[in-house]
């Protein structure tokens, strides 16, 4: 036997059995196996939303694309629920589009209400529990015209919208997300001008940031009041985008300090504010303020985590710019040049549990753009591995939603990035085809569900 193969054999045999067991973590019975989508990205013809309007401008979406019919989910929802059954998932994270429901101020489209209700009912009848997001990056255009998160009427309007969705569409749904990725939404809209309102002004970020926190608190209390009246269980949270922020030059104290600031402001300021009621933003030579919002403290019953990647932060005397965020040289990356860094999921979860102990966590998004489907299988395997490690370390994770069920409209990157477990053939009647990695995810979900059932003696 050549020396290298005998060495390999020796290494394999000398790995303790527990390490093999560790490569396939055991997820508990009742674990939420899930895929996630958002309305504007898949439904199509979302004409009354601010994102639809935004796309009409020149140079805003790669290759001049527009969301158009997106993945045509608005018409194919029954088949798409079938795709989820085929995968074997028991949970589906989706958003309800305010611009469809209330295309003009005060005018509710009851046909849309019925259509969403039918989708929720079909999901539940299929053994798939929805997690509903109320705001996933889009507003009705009329709200944008009034000022979005800066409009003084937004708190009442958002809570009325939330209560309408709860009472008329999803009265039996337990888990709710008020706002998807508030910090990404803020950066995209107010710092890098890549989504409505299209600003690049750090001084303009405070008002929408505080607006989102207050709007979240308001709808949190309104949803709980509705559920209490109906004596139904309910949990409300947010989906936070958490990234690993490491110094670009490992031993450089300035890079380390810059990474610590970016981490504090981007990852933790918002979720911690929701716990304590106090928003603390401290950016040396940039905005620094704190704000106490009395109704906010303790308004997340569970924590949604969207995890994708890591940034390496390089210090600059000019403060944070796009150039401050680098990708590790030579690291594996997705089609969007995001580092594939599975251990980061473990790191953000352990850090989260340190900063906000004791809260249940759901991975509300994790995925990658991989059109050729050459990296997604290992991506899923490795992220589930580190998820298991985080759970073994005591983080109370209840579920994992893969982003995304389908290829979809990836905001300013258009249709090129392919995030789907199912490929969508846009030129061929929106035909869906399960990718090999989707098959792998399905096998993992089914095996885990079967093991958990067997353990529970079902
Ligand atoms: C967003 C999704 C988006 C995904 C991939 C997340 O930040 O919630 O809407 O498609 O990342 O970019």
């Amino acid at each position: 036997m050549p020396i290298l193969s005998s060495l390999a054999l020796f290494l394999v045999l000398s790995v303790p059995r527990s390490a093999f067991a560790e490569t396939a973590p055991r997820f508990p019975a009742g674990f939420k196996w899930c895929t996630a989508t958002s309305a504007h990205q898949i439904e199509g013809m979302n004409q009354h939303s601010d994102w639809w309007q935004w796309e009409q401008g020149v140079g805003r979406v790669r290759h001049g694309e527009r969301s158009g019919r997106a993945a045509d989910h608005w018409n194919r929802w029954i088949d798409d629920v079938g795709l989820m059954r085929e995968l074997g998932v028991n949970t589906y994270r989706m958003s309800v589009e305010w611009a469809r429901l209330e295309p003009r101020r005060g005018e509710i489209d009851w046909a849309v209400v019925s259509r969403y209700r039918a989708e929720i009912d079909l999901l539940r009848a299929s053994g798939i529990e929805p997690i509903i997001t109320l705001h996933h990056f889009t507003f009705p255009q009329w709200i944008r015209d009034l000022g979005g998160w800066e409009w003084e009427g937004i708190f009442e309007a958002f809570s009325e919208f939330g209560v309408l969705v709860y009472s008329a569409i999803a009265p039996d749904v337990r888990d709710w997300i008020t706002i998807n990725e508030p910090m990404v939404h803020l950066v995209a809209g107010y710092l890098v001008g890549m989504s409505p309102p299209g600003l690049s002004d750090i001084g303009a970020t405070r008002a929408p940031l505080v607006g989102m926190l207050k709007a979240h608190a308001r709808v949190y209390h309104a949803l709980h009041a509705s559920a209490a009246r109906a004596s139904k269980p309910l949990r409300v949270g947010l989906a936070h985008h958490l990234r690993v922020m490491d110094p670009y030059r490992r031993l450089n104290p300035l890079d380390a300090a810059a990474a610590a600031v970016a981490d504090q402001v981007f990852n933790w300021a918002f979720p911690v504010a929701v716990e304590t009621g106090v928003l603390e933003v401290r950016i040396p030579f940039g905005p620094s303020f704190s704000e106490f919002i009395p109704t906010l403290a303790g308004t997340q019953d569970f924590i949604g985590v969207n995890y994708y990647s890591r940034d390496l932060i390089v210090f600059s005397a000019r403060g944070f710019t796009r150039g401050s965020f680098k990708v590790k040289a030579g690291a594996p990356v997705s089609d969007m040049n995001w580092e594939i860094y599975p251990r980061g999921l473990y790191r953000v979860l352990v850090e989260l549990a340190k900063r906000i102990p004791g809260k249940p966590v759901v991975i509300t998004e994790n995925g990658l753009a991989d059109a050729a489907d050459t990296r997604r299988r290992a991506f899923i395997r490795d992220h589930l591995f580190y998820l298991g490690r985080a759970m073994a370390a005591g983080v109370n994770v209840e579920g994992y939603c893969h982003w995304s069920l389908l290829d979809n409209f990836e905001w300013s990157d258009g249709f090129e990035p392919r995030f789907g477990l199912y490929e969508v053939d846009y030129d061929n009647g929106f035909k869906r085809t399960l990718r090999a990695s989707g098959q792998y995810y399905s096998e993992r979900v089914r095996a885990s569900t079967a093991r958990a059932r067997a353990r529970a003696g079902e």
Side-chain angles (χ1 to χ4, degrees):
M1 184 182 284
I3 182 107
L4 271 180
S5 10
S6 24
L7 182 63
L9 184 65
F10 169 75
L11 287 175
V12 168
L13 292 177
S14 58
V15 174
R17 278 184 65 77
S18 60
F20 284 113
E22 225 191 354
T23 59
R26 291 185 160 203
F27 294 95
F31 190 77
K32 297 178 206 305
W33 288 109
C34 168
T35 61
T37 63
S38 90
H40 187 74
Q41 294 179 269
I42 61 166
E43 287 178 350
M45 305 312 287
N46 185 22
Q47 299 176 61
H48 301 286
S49 85
D50 60 346
W51 247 93
W52 181 278
Q53 288 300 320
W54 173 257
E55 291 158 23
Q56 309 311 311
V58 176
R60 287 177 176 164
V61 179
R62 200 191 300 171
H63 307 312
E65 288 177 331
R66 290 173 179 167
S67 58
R69 290 174 69 188
D72 200 33
H73 172 76
W74 190 251
N75 298 310
R76 286 161 206 273
W77 59 281
I78 297 178
D79 292 347
D80 288 346
V81 174
L83 302 181
M84 288 178 235
R85 294 178 61 155
E86 188 177 298
L87 282 177
V89 294
N90 57 20
T91 306
Y92 174 48
R93 177 178 171 225
M94 59 179 275
S95 69
V96 167
E97 189 61 49
W98 190 352
R100 276 189 196 283
L101 223 65
E102 193 176 357
R104 280 162 294 274
R105 191 175 183 182
E107 261 179 50
I108 304 301
D109 186 334
W110 292 101
V112 167
V113 171
S114 306
R115 152 66 182 77
Y116 273 127
R117 175 127 202 182
E119 183 172 359
I120 302 284
D121 289 350
L122 179 62
L123 284 161
R124 302 194 79 233
S126 309
I128 300 168
E129 196 49 46
I131 299 175
I132 297 186
T133 305
L134 293 173
H135 183 277
H136 195 123
F137 294 166
T138 56
F139 269 135
Q141 182 60 43
W142 63 265
I143 297 247
R144 178 59 63 200
D145 293 341
L146 289 165
W149 299 114
E150 292 151 87
W151 173 42
E152 79 276 0
I154 191 63
F155 314 116
E156 197 176 342
F158 193 46
S159 84
E160 279 175 5
F161 164 63
V163 168
L164 173 70
V165 177
Y166 177 72
S167 54
I169 294 178
D172 295 312
V173 167
R174 191 176 73 132
D175 287 346
W176 293 75
I177 285 168
T178 57
I179 303 173
N180 179 65
E181 299 188 340
M183 293 306 288
V184 172
H185 182 51
L186 190 79
V187 169
Y190 290 82
L191 270 185
V192 295
M194 284 169 70
S195 74
L199 303 179
S200 301
D201 176 6
I202 197 163
T205 52
R206 179 173 175 170
L209 188 55
V210 172
M212 283 192 279
L213 286 165
K214 288 186 176 166
H216 160 78
R218 181 78 174 256
V219 75
Y220 174 94
H221 294 297
L223 288 173
H224 270 292
S226 304
R229 273 195 299 278
S231 306
K232 290 189 170 160
L234 182 95
R235 304 192 312 176
V236 183
L238 297 121
H240 302 286
H241 184 115
L242 300 182
R243 306 177 71 77
V244 174
M245 308 269 191
D246 280 337
Y248 180 62
R249 292 160 293 188
R250 231 164 26 97
L251 300 175
N252 181 307
L254 289 174
D255 286 1
V261 170
D263 180 49
Q264 176 60 33
V265 175
F266 183 85
N267 286 328
W268 307 112
F270 203 106
V272 168
V274 178
E275 285 307 306
T276 60
V278 181
L279 173 68
E280 292 273 1
V281 174
R282 303 256 167 263
I283 305 181
F285 313 110
S288 286
F289 58 89
S290 73
E291 182 115 17
F292 172 52
I293 302 165
T295 52
L296 180 65
T299 56
Q300 57 192 345
D301 306 319
F302 67 99
I303 300 182
V305 171
N306 294 0
Y307 173 74
Y308 285 92
S309 187
R310 145 163 89 173
D311 297 310
L312 300 187
I313 315 295
V314 59
F315 171 80
S316 150
R318 290 186 298 122
F320 291 104
T321 62
R322 281 189 207 198
S324 313
F325 301 86
K326 304 238 179 265
V327 179
K328 188 177 159 74
V333 293
S334 76
D335 291 351
M336 292 170 86
N337 201 33
W338 297 356
E339 181 184 352
I340 298 174
Y341 181 53
R343 197 166 78 81
L345 179 58
Y346 170 82
R347 289 180 59 192
V348 297
L349 288 174
V350 167
E351 187 61 31
L352 171 67
K354 229 186 269 165
R355 290 178 186 249
I356 306 177
K359 284 275 158 93
V361 174
V362 177
I363 308 305
T364 35
E365 286 182 34
N366 173 239
L368 84 168
D370 177 21
D373 201 34
T374 51
R375 288 150 290 173
R376 191 175 288 100
R377 186 184 193 282
F379 179 99
I380 293 172
R381 182 196 63 207
D382 297 346
H383 282 79
L384 290 181
F385 171 76
Y386 280 107
L387 182 59
R389 287 273 296 265
M391 291 166 73
V395 187
N396 177 12
V397 183
E398 293 182 345
Y400 171 88
C401 299
H402 191 80
W403 182 274
S404 181
L405 174 68
L406 300 170
D407 288 340
N408 56 47
F409 177 71
E410 178 56 30
W411 308 111
S412 53
D413 284 299
F415 288 101
E416 202 169 275
R418 301 293 191 125
F419 275 89
L421 295 170
Y422 284 88
E423 180 184 355
V424 174
D425 187 345
Y426 298 102
D427 302 324
N428 189 12
F430 299 94
K431 189 168 173 288
R432 278 85 159 118
T433 307
L434 185 62
R435 291 197 160 100
S437 56
Q439 178 62 37
Y440 171 74
Y441 183 55
S442 176
E443 282 160 15
R444 289 295 304 265
V445 169
R446 287 182 186 284
S448 165
T449 311
R451 264 200 309 273
R453 283 212 180 115
R455 279 204 302 276
E458 280 175 30

